[in-house]
């Protein structure tokens, strides 16, 4: 399961993606609209800012905006930033590989073989689905998936 922090990050990014081009959105507005605790949202947006996903503007008309276009920000990218590796087993992680403590050999591990398929399918969906896809009308999503 993804963490609540990752869920909030994705929801905050959808708000920013839906905002008028070039119009920053204040943290308090995102927090109220998505029912996210404001202090927690501040931490999340700071993490996303450090990773080049969002940018903040100061001042009376300040707030947060997407630094990258919504169609260039994948769910997988956000989950990796917030939650870390996307793998059901440490030996299947692309970014944080670690041999399982109880492993006699990855080639002979029946559990690994099954979960490798799960990890591949999950990554395929997460890294091909963008924030723009999440806010697109359902008909547009179906058309894109069938293409």
């Amino acid at each position: 399961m993804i963490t609540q922090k990752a869920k909030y990050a994705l929801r905050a990014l959808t708000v920013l993606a839906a905002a008028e081009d070039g119009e920053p959105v204040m943290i308090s507005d995102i927090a109220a609209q998505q029912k996210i605790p404001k202090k927690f949202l501040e931490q999340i947006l700071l993490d996303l800012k450090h990773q080049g996903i969002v940018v903040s503007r100061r001042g009376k008309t300040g707030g947060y905006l997407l630094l990258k276009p919504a169609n260039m920000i994948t769910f997988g990218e956000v989950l990796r930033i917030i939650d870390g590796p996307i793998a059901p087993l440490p030996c299947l992680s692309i970014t944080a590989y670690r041999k399982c403590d109880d492993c006699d050999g990855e080639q002979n591990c029946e559990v690994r073989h099954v979960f490798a398929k799960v990890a591949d399918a999950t990554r395929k969906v997460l890294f091909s689905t963008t924030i723009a896809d999440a806010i697109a009308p359902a008909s547009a999503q179906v058309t894109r998936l069938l293409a």
Side-chain angles (χ1 to χ4, degrees):
M1 287 194 286
I2 67 170
T3 63
Q4 190 67 40
K5 184 177 182 181
K7 204 165 143 184
Y8 286 161
L10 291 165
R11 287 176 28 198
L13 290 172
T14 63
V15 171
L16 296 177
E20 295 291 324
D21 284 341
E23 290 295 318
V25 183
M26 294 184 352
I27 288 179
S28 56
D29 292 340
I30 300 169
Q33 183 180 336
Q34 294 294 321
K35 297 177 179 55
I36 302 172
K38 189 177 171 192
K39 284 286 185 198
F40 197 25
L41 182 57
E42 288 172 357
Q43 294 173 340
I44 292 167
L45 291 173
L46 196 58
D47 289 346
L48 294 173
K49 181 179 176 181
H50 288 151
Q51 295 298 318
I53 304 293
V54 300
V55 64
S56 62
R57 283 196 189 153
R58 293 178 172 253
K60 195 173 190 175
T61 59
Y64 277 85
L65 328 122
L66 294 180
L67 188 57
K68 295 169 55 173
N71 66 348
M72 299 297 291
I73 304 168
T74 67
F75 271 56
E77 177 183 13
V78 175
L79 289 178
R80 261 202 192 128
I81 289 168
I82 302 297
D83 285 351
I86 301 171
L89 299 169
C91 64
L92 293 171
S93 176
I94 292 172
T95 60
Y97 171 86
R98 193 179 84 244
K99 184 178 174 185
C100 295
D101 295 334
D102 60 347
C103 185
D104 289 335
E106 292 175 3
Q107 296 301 326
N108 300 323
C109 180
E110 300 84 0
V111 174
R112 184 180 199 277
H113 294 301
V114 172
F115 279 99
K117 293 176 189 175
V118 172
D120 289 343
T122 301
R123 283 188 200 104
K124 183 177 179 184
V125 171
L126 292 174
F127 285 96
S128 66
T129 305
T130 67
I131 299 299
D133 295 330
I135 63 169
S139 60
Q141 290 179 29
V142 170
T143 302
R144 188 183 77 77
L145 291 173
L146 293 176

